[in-house]
Amino acid sequence: MKFKVGSMLVLAGALLLAGCGSEQTEDKENVAEFVDYTITGVEPGAGVTEAAHSTMDAYENLQGWTLQESSTAGMLASLQQAIRKEEPIIITGWTPHWIFEEYDLKMLEDPKGTMGGEEEIRTIARKGLKEEHPEAYKIIDNFNWTLDDMQEVVNNGVDRPFPEVVEEWMTANSDKVSEWTQGTKKSDGETLELVSTPWDTERASSELIKQVLEGQGYKVKMTDVEPAIMFQAVASGQADFSVAPWLPLTHQSFYEKYREDFDDLGANLVGAQNGFVVPSYVDIDSIEDLQAK
């Protein structure tokens, strides 16, 4: 199968304002007017893009607001430009992400829960993988790490190659890696197909499990694809596994469509989150604080 490379990101919003304590920071209506009641989003069709539309429909104060669908690169470029000019902007984002290390941000409360709350990143495998590659299956099933672990790799991968950063992390955390491989036999060169999505979070976790398996003698081919293709590939057996699905919200529709055709090995990370985000100095704590048009 020839995989179609795409991108998918989860949703948050970051509101970056001109000068702490400025009139714009204090006047919520001025902020809404400045951004023209527009949130700069990511790719159309992404799970969090759909969640954003649902959230804007659910909150009365967001009626009349617009979600400007763009791309991940476009959204980040708009964010960086706004920061340089010290202008307000509302963007789509997520955690873990390096912007939370670069800037002092906070997640807005979501009283209606339409953004889905805390997310898990799951591991899924094709039917039959356990019987055909039992040792690899054990390692994949054992794989799990913390939000802080992932954040460290994502942050260090901003300006360095992920393979280099992951190798460094594995050396510093050899005890965790040993737990994943404990009791398994090394491979004599079996090949595994790993599918992922091109988010930094999934680039980190996929590169990590790839290197762990390669350390056990496997040859791992990793391909970044759109989320729909990721689920389809594992469900059809054209890929062996993925450590990239976000649930229960972000990839819910794909998960439900293919659920009977793959093994769900459970969470490999908990605590990821989608939501609207503002800098900590902004006197807005809830989605309900955003001003209506």
Side-chain angles (χ1 to χ4, degrees), residues 27-40:
D27 192 330
K28 301 169 187 175
E29 186 173 354
N30 281 353
V31 170
E33 290 178 351
F34 191 97
V35 301
D36 195 23
Y37 304 93
T38 299
I39 297 171
T40 302

Side-chain angles (χ1 to χ4, degrees), residues 189-201:
E190 298 163 282
T191 299
L192 297 172
E193 295 277 350
L194 165 63
V195 284
S196 187
T197 54
W199 308 342
D200 284 352
T201 46

Side-chain angles (χ1 to χ4, degrees), residues 7-12 42-52 54 93-96 113-122 197 199 201-202 226-228 230-231 244-257 271-275:
S7 60
M8 166 81 176
L9 290 175
V10 291
L11 174 73
V42 294
E43 290 76 9
V48 292
T49 299
E50 299 305 315
S54 297
W94 64 98
T95 182
T114 51
M115 292 307 301
E118 186 174 285
E119 295 264 275
E120 294 180 346
I121 304 179
R122 300 272 188 93
T197 54
W199 308 342
T201 46
E202 277 50 70
E226 294 180 357
M230 172 181 67
F231 278 91
W246 283 56
L247 293 162
L249 175 68
T250 305
H251 295 150
Q252 180 182 17
S253 61
F254 306 129
Y255 181 89
E256 292 178 350
K257 180 177 181 179
Q273 192 171 0
N274 306 316

